[in-house]
Amino acid sequence: MLADPIHTIYENTMQIRAKASWDRTKSLSKEEKRDFGYIFFAPDKESFQRGVCLRSYATLDYYFNKVRFVHRDPFDAPFITFNSFAFFGKRTVDTLRFLNAVSIEIDNPDATLADIAHLCEMYDLPLPNLVIKSPNGFHLHWLIERVRAFRPAIDSYKLISEALKKTFAWIMADAAGPERYWRMPTDENTIRFIDEKYTLDELKEWAMNCLDQSEMASYTASPKVKGKPVVKGILEDPAIKELLNGVPYDHDIRNYACYTLALIMASSTGMSDEEILSYLKETWNPKNERPIAFPELKRTVRSAIRGVRSGRIKGAKEKWINHILKVMGSNKRFRYVKRSKYTGETSYTKRSELMQQIIRHIEAQGGSIFTSQRRLAQELGACFKSVQMTLQQMSEEGIADITTVKGRNGGTEIRLRADVQEVDYLQEAAAAAEVIPMPSNDPETEVKHIIAATPERVSIGDLQQKSSLEPNVFLHTLMSLLNRGTVRMLEPARDGTARFTLGPPAGK
């Protein structure tokens, strides 16, 4: 008997049973065949190249029962492909028909579910809805609503895989392609299964926020020129202005700076080829300690423009820009700014910022609203899954009372607790003040004001330096506030930093 996750993964992309040779009435039309896909089955790792290709639940059950008694270890299950293919016997990326899940392998026997949950919380990643135990670690799967495996979907899959590899690098994660084999879910090896699917766009949105702009550049396409990083106002950056003011004489660094500026202008601005060459020749080159000869400058600029226009080069890399600045002796450093693909506005979907946005939205309507979570996500312009998880966090931390009513006229009632008013008052007072308030006779009040005025990630030592209290008094007061839940420590990192926020006392 196949496990429940099997039917959730493939749904109606597989037939219930195989078509018998004599049953001519069950033959499918061309339109119906497009809604089905082949999957591959292999009893062990040595059989990947000669795996069985099938397209019905009955056939999969038959092959599974043939080998189930061969595997003595319950975690040593046979292998299947989670995504479906269009052709019989061809397991390649080009023959994919449907994407059913985004997956990653944790190849570390010492890894635990607590490590996975901690890393998901650190990177604001939704928890996997299917976790399978393997002999050497875990297989994590984010089941998604079925999408056709066209090129944009494959590119999104690769982007998500890179973000997953970065997220779980600490516990030896190995991101894999969409055509790979995975352990077959059984009743013995399934650790976690939630019969609820994500969408590929939700995971792609998370991946774009997880990766740095330098890593996103090859995936983010401009509305005008495909494959170019979208950067607004890059020439106004202080580090780029430092380059535009000229560089000291060093043959290599001077030519590198010319090539880098040409890449930036060609990939991240709307300047034409003639405008780029004219600007670097007439405005930038005379500011150098020793100007470049025009034939050499023209050859360097044309080479950079040719690489960008052909799509071979995506843009200037951060490390080269910062290397030039370092050789110049400048203390400025350049970093790409994350910007929305379509509007050019800075994007933010962090859980803490979304929580503050939800609180302000509810306070504007009297402290209580009754709506659906999906409609609330549309009003805030946020991802539905992020709003859902943020509301769950608000309920767990005692910030709001959330009641869900099912039915035709149902919805979700969100009511802020009275304790939140004190938190908002302190945060507004700290934001309005240009400096941290003067110390008071009450140590707890002083610690609260310091935390309210420090929204960025800091260590406990950094907070103590902003206080006039003795170190032992400050530490004792902070620990007392943390134990009572008046202060919350969010997103702790391995370098000892975290975000500290004010919150209502626990249990109220």
Side-chain angles (χ1 to χ4, degrees), residues 10 41 76 160 163 177-178 218 221 261 275 290 293 319 354 362 407 413 458 481 503:
Y10 303 116
F41 174 90
D76 188 16
I160 298 168
S218 59
L261 289 173
E275 290 174 341
R290 288 192 188 180
K319 64 178 183 179
L354 181 58
I362 298 174
E413 182 183 12
V458 293
L481 293 174

Side-chain angles (χ1 to χ4, degrees), residues 369-374 376 384 387-389 391-392 395 400-415:
I369 61 172
F370 183 80
T371 182
S372 68
Q373 297 183 13
R374 197 170 295 277
L376 178 61
F384 165 69
V387 171
Q388 189 180 40
M389 298 180 70
L391 291 177
Q392 181 181 356
S395 177
D401 293 322
I402 300 176
T403 306
T404 302
V405 180
K406 296 184 178 180
R408 177 178 298 179
N409 299 322
T412 302
E413 182 183 12
I414 310 172
R415 184 182 300 275

Side-chain angles (χ1 to χ4, degrees), residues 191-332:
I191 306 299
R192 169 186 167 88
F193 170 61
I194 303 297
D195 193 2
E196 180 182 355
K197 294 189 175 183
Y198 301 104
T199 64
L200 190 65
D201 291 338
E202 290 175 357
L203 296 179
K204 180 182 178 182
E205 180 183 356
W206 165 81
M208 293 178 68
N209 290 318
C210 176
L211 295 173
D212 293 334
Q213 180 68 28
S214 59
E215 298 170 296
M216 289 171 51
S218 59
Y219 299 100
T220 305
S222 169
K224 295 183 179 179
V225 184
K226 295 294 183 182
K228 308 300 185 297
V230 177
V231 182
K232 183 179 180 181
I234 188 172
L235 298 182
E236 301 298 324
D237 188 277
I240 303 301
K241 284 185 175 180
E242 188 88 6
L243 295 179
L244 293 175
N245 288 332
V247 297
Y249 176 69
D250 183 288
H251 182 72
D252 292 337
I253 294 303
R254 188 184 59 178
N255 284 13
Y256 275 135
C258 178
Y259 186 79
T260 301
L261 289 173
L263 288 179
I264 293 174
M265 295 177 182
S267 62
S268 303
T269 66
M271 300 173 66
S272 64
D273 299 356
E274 293 73 16
E275 290 174 341
I276 296 173
L277 180 60
S278 176
Y279 180 88
L280 293 177
K281 172 190 174 184
E282 300 175 2
T283 305
W284 174 76
N285 198 31
K287 296 180 181 179
N288 294 329
E289 185 176 343
R290 288 192 188 180
I292 307 176
F294 178 68
E296 186 178 359
L297 182 141
K298 181 179 179 180
R299 185 168 54 252
T300 303
V301 173
R302 290 286 174 84
S303 175
I305 293 176
R306 193 183 310 114
V308 172
R309 301 298 187 227
S310 65
R312 180 171 51 87
I313 302 175
K314 304 301 180 181
K317 294 184 178 180
E318 284 183 4
K319 64 178 183 179
W320 281 110
I321 300 175
N322 292 326
H323 173 69
I324 297 171
L325 292 169
K326 184 177 180 180
V327 174
M328 291 171 54
S330 173
N331 58 356
K332 294 184 173 60

Side-chain angles (χ1 to χ4, degrees), residues 104 159-170 173-175 206:
I104 190 172
L159 172 66
I160 298 168
S161 296
E162 290 298 321
L164 290 176
K165 188 175 181 180
K166 173 184 176 181
T167 301
F168 297 102
W170 179 57
D174 181 18
W206 165 81

Side-chain angles (χ1 to χ4, degrees), residues 414-461:
I414 310 172
R415 184 182 300 275
L416 293 178
R417 293 188 176 182
D419 307 85
V420 182
Q421 297 177 359
E422 179 187 357
V423 177
D424 294 338
Y425 168 75
L426 288 172
Q427 290 177 341
E428 291 176 2
E434 295 183 357
V435 295
I436 297 177
M438 294 297 293
S440 64
N441 295 327
D442 185 7
E444 290 192 359
T445 302
E446 181 177 346
V447 173
K448 286 182 182 180
H449 278 88
I450 293 174
I451 291 175
T454 311
E456 67 275 3
R457 299 179 63 90
V458 293
S459 64
I460 295 179

